[in-house]
Amino acid sequence: DGGITQSPKYLFRKEGQNVTLSCEQNLNHDAMYWYRQDPGQGLRLIYYSQIVNDFQKGDIAEGYSVSREKKESFPLTVTSAQKNPTAFYLCASSPIDVAKNIQYFGAGTRLSVL
Amino acid sequence: AQSVTQLGSHVSVSEGALVLLRCNYSSSVPPYLFWYVQYPNQGLQLLLKYTTGATLVKGINGFEAEFKKSETSFHLTKPSAHMSDAAEYFCAVSDRRASDYKLSFGAGTTVTVRA
């Protein structure tokens, strides 16, 4: 089945630690996105990528980093510089096509601080 | 920058009653418009979208939305609520002048359905 797989489902971070969230898609989509979801704030864009080896900052990129070495994969690293990382993180992908411009979402990773 | 406002963070309806969720955007050029639904601890699923053409858009699960340019609105409705409609709903916009297809989301509206 085609889709977006995020792992792990739950993740705990210790003080000063970097953690990496995985996002893999087999939809052959060019674009991939990372969002952060906090209660009452909707989804906010962290980073996005429209092509391999290229990515752009979103609205809240500070304290996060990404890579796009393969079309299928777009991992997000939450660095120790992110002082408030507790949130639900969602990965999405979409074709780069006006007619098919729909973002498809993974099931999310819930990150908590120990 | 695109901006989206969803009026009402919580809506409670009786089973069988009309569901109405409000969404307004602020943009000089009407954006692409979307409604997504999120069930607890899950990702988002597209309900419907408007890009061009007919302003009344029908989506999945009996939902529909109407684009009104004069009111800069894209309200979501369902004539008769079902218990399974209990979820959080997000309105989102994408700037049709941009090539990055980024989405800007509203804060969300949580729907509860009373038996």
Side-chain angles (χ1 to χ4, degrees):
Chain A
D1 287 336
I4 301 175
T5 301
Q6 290 189 242
S7 62
K9 191 171 177 66
Y10 299 96
L11 186 59
F12 298 91
R13 194 190 88 166
K14 295 179 181 178
E15 199 73 35
Q17 185 182 39
N18 293 352
V19 292
T20 297
L21 285 61
S22 171
C23 178
E24 303 277 334
Q25 56 102 356
N26 61 4
L27 299 168
N28 198 33
H29 288 167
D30 289 301
M32 296 187 74
Y33 310 81
W34 273 106
Y35 295 93
R36 170 178 171 142
Q37 184 176 17
D38 296 280
Q41 295 192 45
L43 279 71
R44 293 180 290 168
L45 183 64
I46 305 173
Y47 269 98
Y48 66 101
S49 167
Q50 292 187 288
I51 194 170
V52 174
N53 292 323
D54 186 50
F55 47 83
Q56 307 297 326
K57 292 182 179 180
D59 301 318
I60 56 165
E62 186 174 351
Y64 301 96
S65 66
V66 294
S67 63
R68 187 89 187 274
E69 298 178 1
K70 299 186 300 180
K71 186 177 183 178
E72 305 79 21
S73 179
F74 193 41
L76 173 74
T77 297
V78 183
T79 75
S80 57
Q82 173 49 247
K83 298 307 179 187
N84 183 24
T86 297
F88 191 49
Y89 291 86
L90 288 161
C91 178
S93 72
S94 72
I96 300 179
D97 183 320
V98 169
K100 302 175 183 176
N101 177 24
I102 297 172
Q103 290 190 20
Y104 296 84
F105 286 80
T109 293
R110 189 166 298 280
L111 176 62
S112 302
V113 177
L114 288 176
Chain B
Q2 303 287 312
S3 174
V4 187
T5 302
Q6 290 185 239
L7 288 175
S9 58
H10 290 88
V11 168
S12 179
V13 298
S14 296
E15 193 172 20
L18 170 73
V19 179
L20 169 61
L21 305 182
R22 300 179 188 275
C23 173
N24 288 87
Y25 64 88
S26 62
S27 172
S28 57
V29 175
Y32 299 126
L33 296 152
F34 305 81
W35 274 101
Y36 281 86
V37 61
Q38 184 182 33
Y39 299 100
N41 295 311
Q42 294 187 26
L44 277 66
Q45 179 184 9
L46 181 73
L47 283 175
L48 47 81
K49 71 170 187 175
Y50 172 78
T51 53
T52 187
T55 56
L56 182 61
V57 181
K58 295 187 183 300
I60 63 172
N61 301 340
F63 285 92
E64 62 182 35
E66 186 172 13
F67 166 60
K68 292 187 177 180
K69 184 177 178 180
S70 61
E71 299 178 6
T72 62
S73 69
F74 191 55
H75 301 333
L76 181 72
T77 60
K78 182 174 181 177
S80 177
H82 190 271
M83 297 300 287
S84 61
D85 295 325
E88 189 162 19
Y89 293 79
F90 293 95
C91 182
V93 300
S94 178
D95 188 343
R96 64 175 64 235
R97 298 164 294 182
S99 60
D100 55 23
Y101 305 114
K102 293 187 300 181
L103 289 176
S104 295
F105 285 86
T109 298
T110 299
V111 173
T112 58
V113 182
R114 305 185 303 272

